[in-house]
Amino acid sequence: MDGQGNDKDRTRDTDARNTTGFRRWIPRSGRTDRPDGLTSDRRRRLRRLGVALAVVAVALTGVFLGTLAGGQVRTDIGPFRAELSLTPSTAGGTSVDIPPLGSLLLDSHSGPTHLTVELGSLDQTRTQALIDDPASIARASQSAVDDVRDGVVRLGLRTVAAVVLVTLILAFLIFRDTRRTAAAGALALAVAAGSLGTAALTLRPQSIEEPRYEGLLVNAPAIVGDARKIANDYTKYAEQLKRLVGNVSQLYTTVSALPVYEPEPGTTRVLHVSDMHLNPTGWQLIRTVVEQFSVDVVIDTGDITDWGSEPEANYVGSIALLEKPYVYIRGNHDSGRTSAAVARQPNAIVLDNSATTVAGLTIAGIGDPRFTPDKSTAPAAGGLTGSGANELIDNGEQLAQTVRNSPRPVDIALIHDPAAAGPLSGTCPLVLAGHTHNRQVSMLPEVPGEQPTTLMVQGSTGGAGLRGLEGEEPTPLSMSVLYFDDEKKLQAYDDITVGGTGQAQVNLERRVVQPTDPGANLPVTPTPTRSPEPATPTATPPTPTTPTPSVPTPTPTS
């Protein structure tokens, strides 16, 4: 046993000497301290490379997180509350979100940042200020570019600050080293500033002229139309709009000077408006006429909005400011939300195959059976199909039955599309409609043994909204004041026309109804007949015809 123990000791001594000799033989530069075979110099180089990559990774992570955390800013653009935000993107560009209608996509700049502008709700105070002071629209349009520019500058500064702050915090938590933290922060600052600088240097302002559409806007680019033409037209509109109120204010003086018809003290005055299509200028015109003509009731035959969407519901808030009964029926551009928003106004009455009595007048009305807020259903899109005509005839028959069943004789019936008027002939003396954007006064085909019925189709009180800017000549703003005597018979009416958007001429024509023959010199309007085959085209809606008044007294003002 002792011999074996000595042999083991000698073996260990020999191994130790051999190992010592091996270490002396290996050159110093080739020495290794770890079993992986890496030299200390190589480890130092790899370690430095790893630290550098870690700093870069932390900086890029900080840029990404900082942009998401701080790359938003809220600003006012005209009457809108807007939110501007930046997101990392290799494609660049700008998105203008208009909930719930969709988005406009602009190739405004190159990457690596993408700008999103989301137009939120309308500021009621600023919107009302624009309505009360039309001259402020010009100032708002001029300041809109400044609003966007200021918002983008604040967004850039806020984003850079957030990027640097987030990167510094993240680097300190990871490295616990001041130099590495500072390096990561400086790199993040360079990346953020370089990205924003690239976007600024590659800015393409002309991209606004060639937007791409998403969402509902794909099916209806007419909401924007030709960007350059609308912008030019609206510039003229803004410049001359301040003259509008002054011109409209002359209407009351003009009416007072008309000798043909003098309203009796017991006269009931009704203002007929239609097809506002979201034009805020229409509200100012309505308010002026309501006040200066001592209007008792306002009747709206539909299309107060353009798409029937939730954001548009704010537009009807101006109804309450009129402080007069407001009788409304739904148009084909108005949704159930629109009707509900109107019904919430304290002075509004929404009729849908129902009747009401206001200021001594019994009024029955029904909403349009369609909800088609797209360009293909515009009045200029063409005639009715067989199924469409049948739907409108059914609509008119429903209202006609309601009129016949009314406990009080109905003085006025309301429909949106005049193509639904046929079944109402003989049920009441007057039918009011809109939809065509062209003013027309005519007689419905007479029913033997029944009273004659006059059909009055109103033009667009809102100048057809943005759509009115698409033609060579802007659509005029139209409304009429109807005068009813003590027996609630129509005695006369004033047709008020304000030159289309971009113009400032105001015309007023008074027409007196002959008491012996209310339909004298008025054309008879043919109405669609029911088609046995839904796919068979039927008669088109009534063609607008300029009536020959019995006692015309045109009085233009400028």
Side-chain angles (χ1 to χ4, degrees):
M1 295 294 293
D2 294 338
Q4 293 177 355
N6 292 333
D7 292 340
K8 290 180 179 180
D9 292 339
R10 284 193 295 271
T11 301
R12 284 196 296 268
D13 292 340
T14 302
D15 292 341
R17 286 193 298 270
N18 293 337
T19 301
T20 302
F22 179 71
R23 287 179 178 173
R24 289 196 190 100
W25 179 80
I26 297 175
R28 183 174 181 84
S29 59
R31 293 175 60 184
T32 178
D33 300 321
R34 300 179 58 172
D36 56 12
L38 296 177
T39 64
S40 58
D41 290 340
R42 184 175 296 177
R43 287 200 309 275
R44 283 193 296 271
R45 288 195 297 269
L46 291 177
R47 185 169 179 272
R48 289 170 183 170
L49 178 60
V51 171
L53 292 176
V55 169
V56 172
V58 169
L60 294 179
T61 303
V63 170
F64 181 80
L65 296 178
T67 303
L68 295 181
Q72 303 95 24
V73 66
R74 292 188 177 184
T75 187
D76 291 331
I77 300 176
F80 287 98
R81 292 190 178 98
E83 180 170 317
L84 280 63
S85 60
L86 283 176
T87 53
S89 170
T90 57
T94 299
S95 298
V96 182
D97 295 340
I98 312 173
L101 302 181
S103 302
L104 301 180
L105 306 180
L106 308 177
D107 188 17
S108 58
H109 62 274
S110 300
T113 56
H114 181 83
L115 173 64
T116 300
V117 181
E118 181 174 347
L119 297 181
S121 61
L122 285 170
D123 185 294
Q124 289 281 42
T125 303
R126 300 185 69 179
T127 303
Q128 191 57 51
L130 293 179
I131 295 174
D132 292 337
D133 181 14
S136 64
I137 294 181
R139 294 193 295 270
S141 63
Q142 293 169 1
S143 64
V145 176
D146 295 334
D147 293 340
V148 174
R149 183 184 298 112
D150 292 344
V152 170
V153 170
R154 288 195 292 116
L155 175 63
L157 294 176
R158 179 186 175 93
T159 301
V160 170
V163 162
V164 173
L165 180 60
V166 170
T167 303
L168 291 176
I169 294 175
L170 185 63
F172 182 78
L173 293 176
I174 293 175
F175 298 124
R176 303 286 182 175
D177 182 272
T178 304
R179 293 179 60 185
R180 295 173 186 173
T181 300
L187 181 58
L189 175 61
V191 171
S195 300
L196 296 178
T198 301
L201 291 175
T202 58
L203 185 64
R204 292 180 288 273
Q206 68 274 16
S207 63
I208 188 65
E209 299 174 3
E210 298 178 352
R212 302 188 306 277
Y213 303 96
E214 285 186 350
L216 288 176
L217 299 184
V218 172
N219 299 319
I223 194 172
V224 176
D226 186 327
R228 289 172 295 184
K229 184 178 185 300
I230 288 180
N232 293 336
D233 287 349
Y234 197 82
T235 298
K236 293 187 294 183
Y237 177 39
E239 291 173 351
Q240 299 189 34
L241 193 57
K242 60 184 179 183
R243 298 169 51 191
L244 178 62
V245 176
N247 287 336
V248 174
S249 298
Q250 298 178 27
L251 289 175
Y252 182 74
T253 304
T254 302
V255 172
S256 300
L258 292 177
V260 178
Y261 172 73
E262 185 67 28
E264 297 295 330
T267 296
T268 301
R269 296 168 173 83
V270 174
L271 177 61
H272 179 202
V273 302
S274 189
D275 296 85
M276 294 277 285
H277 288 291
L278 291 176
N279 190 343
T281 307
W283 287 123
Q284 176 61 37
L285 186 59
I286 290 173
R287 291 177 62 186
T288 301
V289 173
V290 165
E291 294 172 2
Q292 297 190 353
F293 282 67
S294 299
V295 168
D296 300 297
V297 182
V298 179
I299 290 178
D300 186 341
T301 48
D303 278 359
I304 195 171
T305 61
D306 223 4
W307 296 89
S309 61
E310 185 67 30
E312 293 174 278
N314 294 328
Y315 175 77
V316 308
S318 295
I319 291 175
L321 302 177
L322 300 176
E323 299 181 350
K324 298 289 182 180
Y326 194 95
V327 182
Y328 161 86
I329 60 169
R330 185 183 66 255
N332 63 293
H333 283 264
D334 301 328
S335 65
R337 290 179 177 178
T338 305
S339 295
V342 174
R344 287 194 293 268
Q345 306 307 308
N347 56 323
I349 302 170
V350 177
L351 297 180
D352 194 5
N353 200 26
S354 55
T356 187
T357 299
V358 183
L361 290 168
T362 300
I363 306 169
I366 190 169
D368 196 288
R370 306 159 297 179
F371 177 53
T372 49
D374 57 79
K375 188 177 181 181
S376 64
T377 58
L384 291 170
T385 63
S387 59
N390 290 345
E391 189 176 18
L392 289 172
I393 292 172
D394 290 341
N395 191 242
E397 288 178 346
Q398 292 179 46
L399 181 59
Q401 188 62 38
T402 299
V403 171
R404 293 188 184 96
N405 294 337
S406 174
R408 300 184 59 173
V410 171
D411 302 302
I412 307 172
L414 309 181
I415 54 174
H416 177 65
D417 192 329
L424 292 164
S425 181
T427 63
C428 60
L430 180 63
V431 176
L432 301 183
H435 184 65
T436 65
H437 302 170
N438 289 291
R439 182 182 282 141
Q440 173 193 5
V441 181
S442 60
M443 302 298 296
L444 292 176
E446 191 170 348
V447 177
E450 301 291 346
Q451 61 182 320
T453 300
T454 302
L455 172 63
M456 301 184 73
V457 181
Q458 189 56 266
S460 174
T461 307
L466 281 178
R467 300 166 194 245
L469 296 174
E470 294 177 344
E472 292 298 326
E473 295 294 333
T475 303
L477 281 65
S478 305
M479 59 180 62
S480 300
V481 179
L482 284 59
Y483 300 91
F484 294 84
D485 62 13
D486 289 337
E487 297 180 356
K488 308 310 174 188
K489 301 297 184 183
L490 181 65
Q491 300 297 306
Y493 53 94
D494 293 333
D495 285 337
I496 301 169
T497 305
V498 178
T501 303
Q503 304 176 17
Q505 183 177 359
V506 179
N507 293 325
L508 183 143
E509 295 185 35
R510 169 157 295 170
R511 304 167 188 258
V512 177
V513 177
Q514 291 284 5
T516 56
D517 189 358
N521 299 322
L522 291 180
V524 176
T525 295
T527 58
T529 57
R530 189 179 299 280
S531 172
E533 297 294 336
T536 302
T538 64
T540 58
T543 302
T545 305
T546 302
T548 303
S550 53
V551 187
T553 310
T555 308
T557 61
S558 58

